[in-house]
């Protein structure tokens, strides 16, 4: 199997995309497919470069057995458009920003289209209530499970449970 590289993208790379990276990475590891995937995340803006994910994203991931505390925010680079097979934007605003700066041939899609099949945006929980992070986690877990299934993996860790990955 050819190694598949996936980049999850949100605005600042501290809330949604680090969660998506952590969830998808966990699912890939649970399926024993770590060698088959390269997974990363980035932001369309560089305000938080070098910072860890938002403490609420870290806490939400930790409560589900996923450690994202070692991730560091970065801004999307032009080389990402060449280096990643699939770039998944968390919402339409980030999708538009990515398409505006993309190199020809980049495979940029909305997470809600390819992973959820609903076309929905994953809401930015940054300015909302703490429960918003749990809602985002649940949508990302559902989408990441479906994405892994779409890419052809047997998913033993996604057996209908959208509240945890343990």
């Amino acid at each position: 199997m050819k190694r598949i590289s996936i980049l999850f993208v949100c605005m600042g790379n501290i809330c949604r995309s680090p969660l998506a990276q952590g969830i998808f990475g966990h699912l890939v590891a649970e399926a024993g497919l770590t060698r088959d995937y390269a997974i990363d995340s980035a932001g369309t803006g560089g305000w938080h470069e070098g910072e860890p994910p938002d403490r609420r994203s870290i806490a939400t991931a930790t409560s589900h057995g996923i450690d994202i505390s070692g991730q560091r925010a970065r801004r999307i680079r032009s080389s990402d458009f060449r280096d990643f097979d699939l770039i998944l934007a968390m919402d339409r605003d980030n999708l538009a920003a990515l398409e505006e700066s993309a190199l020809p041939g980049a495979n940029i899609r909305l997470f809600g289209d390819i992973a959820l099949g609903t076309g929905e945006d994953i809401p930015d929980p940054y300015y909302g209530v703490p429960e918003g992070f749990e809602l985002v986690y649940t949508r990302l877990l559902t989408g990441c499970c479906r994405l892994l299934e779409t890419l052809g993996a047997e998913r033993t860790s996604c057996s209908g449970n959208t509240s945890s990955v343990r």
Side-chain angles (χ1 to χ4, degrees):
M1 176 179 184
K2 177 193 177 290
R3 189 175 174 121
I4 299 170
S5 55
I6 301 171
L7 182 67
F8 297 97
V9 181
C10 67
M11 188 178 295
N13 192 214
I14 60 167
C15 293
R16 296 169 288 175
S17 57
L19 271 173
Q21 177 186 350
I23 293 166
F24 195 75
H26 185 85
L27 295 173
V28 164
E30 288 281 310
L33 299 170
T34 305
R35 291 184 188 188
D36 298 332
Y37 291 91
I39 308 158
D40 200 359
S41 63
T44 55
W47 313 281
H48 301 287
E49 281 190 276
E51 295 177 17
D54 184 283
R55 62 179 169 72
R56 297 164 294 177
S57 286
I58 293 172
T60 299
T62 300
S63 74
H64 293 282
I66 300 171
D67 182 7
I68 63 170
S69 63
Q71 293 182 28
R72 292 297 175 261
R74 71 175 183 86
R75 187 175 191 168
I76 190 128
R77 301 180 286 258
S78 60
S79 60
D80 291 333
F81 296 110
R82 177 190 66 242
D83 295 343
F84 285 89
D85 299 316
L86 180 60
I87 299 172
L88 294 175
M90 294 292 119
D91 61 42
R92 284 174 180 75
D93 289 341
N94 287 296
L95 179 66
L98 289 167
E99 289 173 338
E100 195 172 290
S101 58
L103 299 175
N107 187 13
I108 305 166
R109 305 284 300 274
L110 183 67
F111 182 88
D113 281 341
I114 194 167
L116 292 168
T118 62
E120 71 188 83
D121 285 348
I122 300 298
D124 188 348
Y126 187 78
Y127 292 108
V129 296
E131 295 79 24
F133 284 82
E134 188 63 36
L135 173 67
V136 165
Y137 174 88
T138 300
R139 297 310 296 145
L140 290 172
L141 176 60
T142 299
C144 286
C145 286
R146 289 181 184 164
L147 179 61
L148 192 55
E149 182 179 55
T150 299
L151 295 172
E154 289 295 320
R155 303 172 303 124
T156 57
S157 62
C158 292
S159 57
N161 183 352
T162 58
S163 64
S164 182
V165 293
R166 288 191 252 177

